Amino acid sequence: MTTVSQWRLRAGAASSSAKAAAGPAGTRRQQRLALLALAPALTMFCAFWLLPFARLVLMGAEIDRGSGISAYLAILTHRQYLISLAATLGVSLVVSITAVGIAGLAGFFLARHCFPGKAALVAILTFPLAFPGVVVGFLVIMLGGRQGILAQLSQWLFDERWIFAYSLTGLFVGYLYFSIPRVITTVMAACETLDRSLEEAARSLGADTWRVTRDVIVPGIAPALLSTGAICFATSMGAFGTAFTLGTRMSILPLNIYGEFTNYANFAMAAALSVVLGLITWLALSIARKLAGSSLGAPA
Amino acid sequence: MTSSVSITLERCGRTFANGHTALHPLDLSIAAGETLVLLGPSGCGKTTTLRIISGLESPDAGGRVRFGERDVTQRPIEKRDVGMVFQNYALFPNMSVADNIAYGLKIQRLPATEIRQRVDEVMAMVDLQGFGERRIDALSGGQKQRVALARAIAVRPKVLLFDEPLAALDAKLRDRLRIEIGQLLRELNITAVYVTHDQAEAMALGDRIAVMQAGRIAQLGTPQEIYHRPSSAFVADFIGAVNRLEVIGSRPQGRLVVHGGELHGPHLSGLPSIYCRPEDIQIVETNVAAIQGCVIQSVFLGQTQRLMVDTGSSTPLQVDAPSREHWRVGEVIGLTIPPEVLFHPEQCNSQRDVQEVAHG
């Protein structure tokens, strides 16, 4: 997906700059030149995206080794795949909403207030962006695993071990962990661009803080909230490292794909699941892009 | 309409956290129903003064803001009953024209029928009938500012505040909307404070004008007083064009020697320089002229043309001449300036009957 959007961007930029540069006479020559300049990008696109993906789509239509029917059909008819799909969707959705809620507030506060140590706080808050999924998974285990901080604390207080790391809850915490920095940075940037006079106008008309927030600030940063939420969703849908670290037995799409592929050599099912995962994330991003009316990057 | 209210500022100053003083403590009273224009270059403190009146900013300790008899210093803007119009319109982009105008009324929880009626009423006042369902981004700049104006007056505020409302519009539209705002203010008979850096706007709209400079009021008075009897060279220069003639000698019977000739100005004897407006200088035959000079440039302005006349002083004299006549560059022309149009800011100060001088 990264390649597609980048390719579109490049093509758009190239053709528009060509048009701008040349008069009517030179336009065709310029266009031919632009096409020539596009060739490397086009080659890359075909070689590394179009061909492998076409193969993947076709492979997914082949017979699934487990059920004996087309793998796409098997996903729709078999309980285990539907549950896994629902769990992945559910966790990603809850993570996105929670992250947007918590980090939206935090980001707004940080954008609006100046206090000593703010730069350091923002740096710390956005630090998890640099962590790979495996490290995030490891951190969740440190917190909620069998020997984790929470387990030790609850052992000491209540004489029982509280463990959440190896479940959907652990996954939720892990995903939230790397979603929050994204939302905070996006919301802070969006708040900078808010027109303060809108808030002043609303206040002059008698609006209290709550109404200003509801009528001016939230609609103002809604595009940013939507787009960052969609990116969180897409990232959570496909996050493999964290899930893999927390436990391979969890029924989550990325782990399913890995399992079908490596454990059962069920290439058709792995391909079908990949296509479904890709389609869902692509759909989420394009819906958000449409609603927000601004361009988005694909998940990292 | 809510009956209008007077505004009193007492020792209102504003120093920001970085130590910059935007406004030196000033006293200002605005009569009920009056339109006061705060005029000055950017950074002169006019917007800060407006924001202190609105409640968006608080004056430094010791400052007081009164609406009528009521002290509103501690009240935030949402409790001050003010309507505000901004330079960038500040319309809510996610609402239609009618919803924008109805916003303040909905906050007041008026019944739906009354809201609709009032919205229609103010839309008619600003000539926007039939635009209710339009989206904000489907409006032109002038229409947007009308919506903003309608939204501000719909709540029937006690005070209307304008922060350079026409600065973003093109000249033709600016003139038209200025006239409409003027009519509206007279109709409503509402106390209004209007911030602008445009002197033409200030003179057309203000019952009184406060010319501000570097955080202080340089002069407060009617447009006529400000224009004809400016209290400082700054004010004289800021409002309209002005000539400063250096007095290089004096003769008996109040005759002042300036570059290019002699002028009669008995009331200005002893001053180092004298002032006059370009439109007050008359062009006459050279043999009867008080001073003579050489035309070095002519700028056509439409209704008039402005000649730059070199009289031997460091800056050329600006003279307004009829627009249909023609003067060649290099031509020597005669000028006469009647004594009554000559002035000096310091003298204007001592002459002024009512002295309203800011503190600080």
Side-chain angles (χ1 to χ4, degrees), chain B residues 85-98:
Chain B
V85 180
F86 298 82
Q87 178 180 341
N88 64 352
Y89 323 123
L91 297 173
F92 308 125
N94 49 327
M95 300 180 199
S96 68
V97 167

Side-chain angles (χ1 to χ4, degrees), chain B residues 119-332:
Chain B
V119 169
D120 287 344
E121 189 183 302
V122 292
M123 288 208 337
M125 286 170 89
V126 297
D127 208 16
L128 273 177
Q129 295 101 324
F131 281 78
E133 297 313 311
R134 288 274 187 107
R135 288 172 52 86
I136 296 304
D137 53 18
L139 300 178
S140 70
Q143 288 166 341
K144 282 182 188 169
Q145 202 54 294
R146 281 162 206 266
V147 175
L149 194 57
R151 182 180 65 179
I153 59 177
V155 292
R156 299 183 181 170
K158 290 200 173 74
V159 173
L160 260 182
L161 305 172
F162 297 86
D163 190 2
E164 307 224 22
L166 306 181
L169 301 174
D170 58 64
K172 195 88 193 156
L173 205 57
R174 194 159 56 217
D175 288 349
R176 217 175 75 195
L177 214 52
R178 184 183 74 198
I179 292 167
E180 289 182 15
I181 289 177
Q183 282 172 347
L184 199 66
L185 289 176
R186 272 190 296 278
E187 264 173 51
L188 296 174
N189 191 30
I190 191 170
T191 315
V193 182
Y194 191 106
V195 164
T196 183
H197 63 267
D198 182 319
Q199 42 123 349
E201 222 169 282
M203 287 194 278
L205 286 172
D207 292 320
R208 281 190 304 159
I209 298 172
V211 184
M212 298 190 68
Q213 177 194 17
R216 291 188 169 91
I217 294 180
Q219 188 175 2
L220 179 68
T222 64
Q224 291 80 1
E225 282 169 358
I226 301 268
Y227 190 80
H228 292 305
R229 286 185 283 154
S231 66
S232 68
F234 169 81
V235 174
D237 200 44
F238 196 79
I239 298 254
V242 72
N243 290 305
R244 181 178 167 278
L245 293 86
E246 201 185 332
V247 178
I248 48 179
S250 62
R251 296 273 160 79
Q253 282 147 9
R255 300 200 66 79
L256 307 167
V257 183
V258 296
H259 289 283
E262 282 181 18
L263 290 171
H264 184 57
H267 61 299
L268 294 166
S269 57
L271 289 165
S273 60
I274 51 178
Y275 290 73
C276 70
R277 301 272 180 202
E279 70 269 24
D280 289 332
I281 303 179
Q282 292 156 15
I283 301 172
V284 293
E285 295 296 327
T286 45
N287 54 352
V288 296
I291 46 180
Q292 291 188 6
C294 173
V295 177
I296 54 173
Q297 198 193 347
S298 156
V299 182
F300 185 68
L301 300 172
Q303 75 273 37
T304 173
Q305 62 181 312
R306 183 155 294 168
L307 306 177
M308 299 294 170
V309 180
D310 181 12
T311 58
S313 65
S314 53
T315 49
L317 207 58
Q318 304 177 63
V319 180
D320 281 358
S323 81
R324 288 182 191 279
E325 286 177 39
H326 185 71
W327 282 272
R328 282 191 321 278
V329 170
E331 191 176 343
V332 174

Side-chain angles (χ1 to χ4, degrees), chain A residues 81-97:
Chain A
Y81 295 122
L82 284 178
I83 289 175
S84 145
L85 192 63
T88 316
L89 277 173
V91 158
S92 304
L93 209 62
V94 174
V95 164
S96 314
I97 293 169

